[in-house]
Amino acid sequence: MEKTVTWKEDVLGDGFVQATLELTPDSEGPVVATIVKAPAPQQPGFLDRLLGRSAQVAANTDVLYIHGWSDYFFQKNLAAYWRSQGAQFYALDLRKYGRSIRPGQSEGFIDNLADYDEDIEVALEVMGHGSKKSGANDKALEGRRLVLMGHSTGGLVFSLWANRHPGRADAVVLNSPWLEYQLTAAARALVAPMLRAGTRINPKAQMPSIDFGFYSRTVDKNKDGEWEFNYDWRPEHGFPVRPAWLNAILTGHAQVAAGLDIQEPVFTWLSTRSLLVPKWNPEMKSADIAIDVNIVAARVHQLGKLVTLSRIENAMHDVVLSARPVRNHAFDELTRWLKAYL
């Protein structure tokens, strides 16, 4: 049976609800994740049915979304897209992110990406897609499909998870996944030994910040963007970067570089260009200013045997937060792929 949780109104309102998921405590105390559930899928209207447009490519589908670094789920338009395609949408604020941050915790900190398996597994149990080992009801056996969707570091986390858990999902959708270090694999190999040493000496030491706040500026409605979000959960200059966390990320990058074998079809959005410069430029609103998209594009093809890469012109790092024509084009590309593979 499904894991029993207590749902309450979410900060997003408009029918979104959330539930706290208790996890194993760590050295900083109690640890939780938070699952957010969108309103029920939209049903085709009378005119849609009359004109033969009632088919929804993601009917009988559950979607679980994971955010990126220094982020949390607030993208209501993403939920609206999946609902319009007939899917039940869920999002997960991982431990020490967003709704899951607790006093005294190091925001976003983890020293092994595989530890997120617990967050994901508990969320899937709530959704009815728990593993057979857990004894949870598997909706996939009842005709419910499962799509995993991750943005940036969330894309890295889900890629590694899907590789370790073949057959659990029906498809993987990645939104600008952070699959490789910005300065190439050779630079990663040089940096990794120093990070491992730092991890042994002081794993939670705050490293110098290299976030100039430009990405937040492109998103923030009060600056050059069009979106509202919680500054405590998504700070302008990001969370402090710590050696053990960055070491965990680079370890994940190395696993991708060695080649994964994701069994499910994989779809990836990437912008057509990056703009990684230390000075503000208005063109940052139409480029990825967080990762090197060309380096990541090369890694996408090492995820599995059935991989589709969609390069979106003028897209930002979080493609769904790009300008309206850009994000609408991106959603059209995803819908076309879903028709073929889901």
Side-chain angles (χ1 to χ4, degrees):
M1 59 185 297
E2 297 178 24
K3 185 178 179 65
T4 301
V5 296
T6 301
W7 295 100
K8 64 179 182 181
E9 183 180 5
D10 186 63
V11 294
L12 295 177
D14 296 330
F16 285 84
V17 294
Q18 63 157 280
T20 300
L21 310 178
E22 302 290 339
L23 304 175
T24 304
D26 66 11
S27 61
E28 294 183 332
V31 177
V32 304
T34 308
I35 189 168
V36 179
K37 183 179 181 180
Q42 297 173 357
Q43 299 301 317
F46 172 76
L47 184 59
D48 290 322
R49 294 193 297 271
L50 185 65
L51 297 177
R53 300 190 305 225
S54 60
Q56 294 175 303
V57 297
N60 301 313
T61 300
D62 298 317
V63 177
L64 179 61
Y65 169 83
I66 291 181
H67 55 82
W69 168 245
S70 296
D71 209 349
Y72 73 102
F73 172 66
F74 66 94
Q75 297 87 341
K76 293 169 71 172
N77 67 320
L78 176 61
Y81 165 77
W82 282 108
R83 293 178 61 230
S84 73
Q85 301 304 321
Q88 177 60 62
F89 179 86
Y90 298 83
L92 183 62
D93 278 10
L94 296 168
R95 61 184 70 193
K96 306 184 183 184
Y97 283 94
R99 301 163 178 83
S100 305
I101 296 174
R102 296 295 181 266
Q105 290 185 336
S106 304
E107 297 96 332
F109 181 78
I110 203 163
D111 59 11
N112 186 341
L113 296 182
D115 289 347
Y116 287 133
D117 281 17
E118 183 182 12
D119 308 48
I120 295 168
E121 197 60 61
V122 176
L124 291 177
E125 287 185 31
V126 170
M127 296 167 60
H129 288 274
S131 67
K132 295 178 181 178
K133 181 179 178 180
S134 72
N137 178 41
D138 188 351
K139 282 185 180 176
L141 299 179
E142 301 176 5
R144 299 291 301 182
R145 296 173 295 190
L146 174 64
V147 173
L148 307 176
M149 182 173 188
H151 167 57
S152 197
T153 55
L156 175 62
V157 169
F158 258 151
S159 295
L160 297 172
W161 187 91
N163 184 65
R164 292 193 301 270
H165 299 84
R168 292 289 300 280
D170 293 279
V172 177
V173 176
L174 305 175
N175 173 4
S176 304
W178 190 19
L179 301 180
E180 182 55 277
Y181 193 49
Q182 282 85 325
L183 302 176
T184 76
R188 168 167 52 78
L190 291 174
V191 170
M194 292 183 288
L195 278 175
R196 287 195 292 269
T199 296
R200 289 192 296 269
I201 297 170
N202 189 351
K204 295 182 182 178
Q206 292 193 24
M207 300 174 65
S209 175
I210 56 173
D211 188 333
F212 299 101
F214 299 151
Y215 182 46
S216 181
R217 178 174 173 175
T218 64
V219 174
D220 192 344
K221 185 176 183 180
N222 297 312
K223 296 180 180 178
D224 289 84
E226 59 176 295
W227 309 96
E228 294 184 39
F229 52 87
N230 184 319
Y231 295 106
D232 292 329
W233 295 348
R234 197 180 192 280
E236 180 180 5
H237 297 284
F239 295 147
V241 173
R242 305 173 193 275
W245 173 83
L246 187 53
N247 182 62
I249 295 293
L250 297 193
T251 299
H253 290 169
Q255 291 175 282
V256 174
L260 304 184
D261 189 23
I262 298 175
Q263 301 297 302
E264 296 76 24
V266 180
F267 175 89
T268 303
W269 280 323
L270 280 176
S271 180
T272 55
R273 65 171 180 150
S274 293
L275 191 58
L276 305 174
V277 294
K279 183 179 180 180
W280 168 254
N281 185 324
E283 292 187 10
M284 289 178 170
K285 295 186 291 183
S286 58
D288 192 317
I289 61 175
I291 63 174
D292 187 316
V293 292
N294 290 328
I295 290 175
V296 170
R299 288 286 178 254
V300 167
H301 299 291
Q302 293 171 272
L303 295 176
K305 297 182 178 67
L306 183 53
V307 177
T308 302
L309 175 58
S310 176
R311 302 295 292 267
I312 306 298
E313 190 170 2
N314 296 323
M316 298 199 307
H317 181 51
D318 189 340
V319 175
V320 305
L321 302 183
S322 303
R324 186 181 297 275
V326 177
R327 63 182 186 256
N328 286 346
H329 169 60
F331 284 134
D332 288 343
E333 289 291 291
L334 177 55
T335 301
R336 183 169 63 163
W337 182 85
L338 290 170
K339 288 178 179 178
Y341 291 107
L342 189 64

